[in-house]
Amino acid sequence: MADDHWRDLMLAAQAGDAASYRRLLLEAGSWLQRYYARRLPASMVDDAAQEVLLALHTKRHTYDPAQPFGPWLSAIARYKWIDRLRAMKNSLTEELPEDLAVRDHGEAVRSASILERLLERLKPAQANAIRLVKLEGLSIKEAAERLGQTVSLVKVNIHRGLRQLGELAQEDGHEA
């Protein structure tokens, strides 16, 4: 805080100097933004700073020029911060309704279970290549490195494995 500087600006403002008052409000506003940025959610910072500037404006006649300005402003900011914390604590949050719709994940779980059983019926090299590339999202090159195979072999295993999965799914009566 630029306490002596702000004190001088406040004294000039109390004497009617509008330019000094505007400068004081701008500088104090910047300081308040930083003050509240560390203490409140981002969505509340601007409102809190403006509330203090409004309080400073309405109570500027109570400032005692014999006292430092910084602690006076800090006290206002602190009290307004505490007021906001109390308001946040006491504000009611919306309760979730009992009949809130939640997506049923049963079909996804069944599909994953069927897929896993089908993958178990493939050759391990094919199943592992499909898991890494198609399910985990690795590139063919990354899968080849992890499996200790060539890129070409991984591609062949994926191609043959997917074809075999389709045949197995049709045999079992699942959609391919």
Side-chain angles (χ1 to χ4, degrees), residues 52-69:
V52 173
L53 292 175
L54 184 60
L56 185 148
H57 177 73
T58 58
K59 299 294 183 184
R60 70 185 182 276
H61 66 280
T62 66
Y63 172 66
D64 179 4
Q67 300 299 317
F69 182 81

Side-chain angles (χ1 to χ4, degrees), residues 150-167:
T150 65
V151 169
S152 298
L153 182 55
V154 170
K155 287 180 182 179
V156 168
N157 280 329
I158 290 172
H159 175 73
R160 289 180 182 168
L162 290 175
R163 188 183 66 225
Q164 184 69 28
L165 277 178
E167 292 170 4

Side-chain angles (χ1 to χ4, degrees), residues 46-162:
D46 287 337
D47 290 343
Q50 290 301 318
E51 189 176 345
V52 173
L53 292 175
L54 184 60
L56 185 148
H57 177 73
T58 58
K59 299 294 183 184
R60 70 185 182 276
H61 66 280
T62 66
Y63 172 66
D64 179 4
Q67 300 299 317
F69 182 81
W72 184 74
L73 179 62
S74 294
I76 295 171
R78 184 174 178 275
Y79 289 124
K80 294 296 182 183
W81 173 56
I82 291 169
D83 289 345
R84 287 218 171 237
L85 292 178
R86 285 186 184 129
M88 285 170 49
K89 178 184 174 210
N90 295 331
S91 66
L92 296 176
T93 56
E94 231 179 275
E95 289 190 30
L96 294 176
E98 292 288 328
D99 60 344
L100 181 66
V102 177
R103 241 179 77 203
D104 181 13
H105 292 86
E107 187 60 35
V109 171
R110 279 189 293 281
S111 296
S113 176
I114 291 168
L115 178 60
E116 192 54 42
R117 283 198 308 267
L118 291 172
L119 285 170
E120 288 173 359
R121 293 169 59 187
L122 296 179
K123 293 179 181 175
Q126 293 173 347
N128 289 335
I130 291 171
R131 278 189 188 98
L132 291 175
V133 175
K134 300 297 182 182
L135 301 179
E136 293 182 25
L138 268 61
S139 70
I140 292 178
K141 182 180 177 187
E142 292 169 329
E145 290 171 1
R146 189 176 290 182
L147 294 171
Q149 299 174 353
T150 65
V151 169
S152 298
L153 182 55
V154 170
K155 287 180 182 179
V156 168
N157 280 329
I158 290 172
H159 175 73
R160 289 180 182 168
L162 290 175

Side-chain angles (χ1 to χ4, degrees), residues 17-35:
D17 183 352
S20 293
Y21 189 50
R22 274 193 303 278
R23 184 162 179 187
L24 174 66
L25 292 177
L26 282 172
E27 291 180 18
S30 295
W31 178 82
L32 288 165
Q33 289 283 327
R34 292 187 305 274
Y35 177 86

